[in-house]
Each structure stands twice: as structure tokens, then as C-alpha cells.
Amino acid sequence: MMNLLKKTAVTTLLASTLLFSGCGYNTLQAKDEAVTASWSEVQNQYQRRADLVPNLVNVVKGYAKHEEQVLTEVTQARSNVAGLKVDQSVLENPELFKKYQEAQSQLTGSLSRLIAVSENYPDLKANEQFRDLQAQLEGTENRIAVARNRYITTVQDYNTYVRQFPQVMTAKVIGMHEKPNFSAEAGTEKAPTVSFN
């Protein structure tokens, strides 16, 4: 009887070990951390852009005094981005994520209009500080694109893993869910109209 209990205990222990080693808990944690790290890089690049905006606006103000609406739009868009509380909850809440993404898109659009305004001011385009800030901003936009792409890939990997069996069971037990991902902005599905008139 004692040997039977020992064999049952050993079998139960072995079965439990095999069951829990295949549940994906550690991999879920690692993938969750990878998503958090890649999101931090996206935020880092957005912050870099936000830090460049006031300098760019100040340089343009000196040349384009009557472009007040564009300058106000850029300042307001940056303020909207800065006013959003961005923490781990953004990654867990698709609505907050979408709101953050929309605020960043608004800033991107405002900056594009600001750069377009500069085309009307040859002295501004020739200003060394403006050119330097514009180059930094273009570089930052490229870094944002790379960071967002890495985030998208990392979230895809995480979401795929968290939906597979048996990890889906473990994820439900420990409260891990799919993460929201970036989506294309409204209107980007249409090609822009180019006119040489």
C-alpha cells in the first residue's frame, strides 16, 4: 500500500511538472516584457519629437508671424500629447491606446502643415537652425516608424502566443489578454492626389 502511494505521488508530481512546464507561463512573461520594452521605445521617440516641437515653432514664429493658425495647431497638438497620461494601462486598454494614437496622429499632421508653411518663406528655409531642426524632426519620424514597426511585430508575436493552446488557459488564469496594436490612420488607404498645375 505504501509503495502504491509513493508511486502515485511520484506520478502526480511528474505529471504536474510536465503539465506546468508546458503551460507557457514563463514565455508569456517574457513576451509581455518584450511588448512593454518595445512600447517604451515608441514612447521614447514620441518624446524626442515632442521635445523638438517648441524649438521648431519658435524658429518659424520669427519668420511666419501671420501663420498663427498653423503655429497654434502645432502647439495645441503637442499639448494634447503631453496631457495624456501614458503608463502600462494604455497597453491594457484599447480605448486609451486609440486615444493616444489619435493624439500622436494629430501632432504628425500639424507638423506636416508647419513644414509645408516653410515652403512659402525662402529666408526660413535658408535658416541653419530651421534646417537642423527639420532634419532632426525627419530623423525622429523615421525612428518613430521603426519603433512602431518593432512594437507591431512584438505585439503580433505576443498576441499569437497568448491565443494558442495551452497558453490561452494559463493567460486566462493569470489575467493576461491580447494587447492593442497600431492601425492605419483614417484616409491613408487612398493615394494622395498629385497636381502639377
Side-chain angles (χ1 to χ4, degrees), residues 68-83:
E68 197 62 39
Q69 180 181 355
V70 174
L71 296 170
T72 301
E73 284 178 18
V74 171
T75 304
Q76 181 63 43
R78 182 187 180 276
S79 176
N80 290 344
V81 167

Side-chain angles (χ1 to χ4, degrees), residues 118-131:
S118 72
E119 296 297 318
N120 298 327
Y121 300 91
D123 291 343
L124 174 59
K125 289 193 317 185
N127 178 291
E128 187 176 325
Q129 187 178 14
F130 177 78
R131 286 192 320 234

Side-chain angles (χ1 to χ4, degrees), residues 2 11 17 24 32-33 56 62 69 82-83 96 98 121 152 159 170 188:
M2 192 60 129
T11 304
T17 302
D32 187 52
E33 285 301 316
L56 189 64
Q69 180 181 355
L96 286 176
K98 184 177 181 191
Y121 300 91
I152 289 166
N159 286 346
T170 305
T188 57

Side-chain angles (χ1 to χ4, degrees), residues 79-91:
S79 176
N80 290 344
V81 167
L84 289 175
K85 181 182 175 204
V86 181
D87 55 17
Q88 189 67 22
S89 65
V90 170
L91 294 180

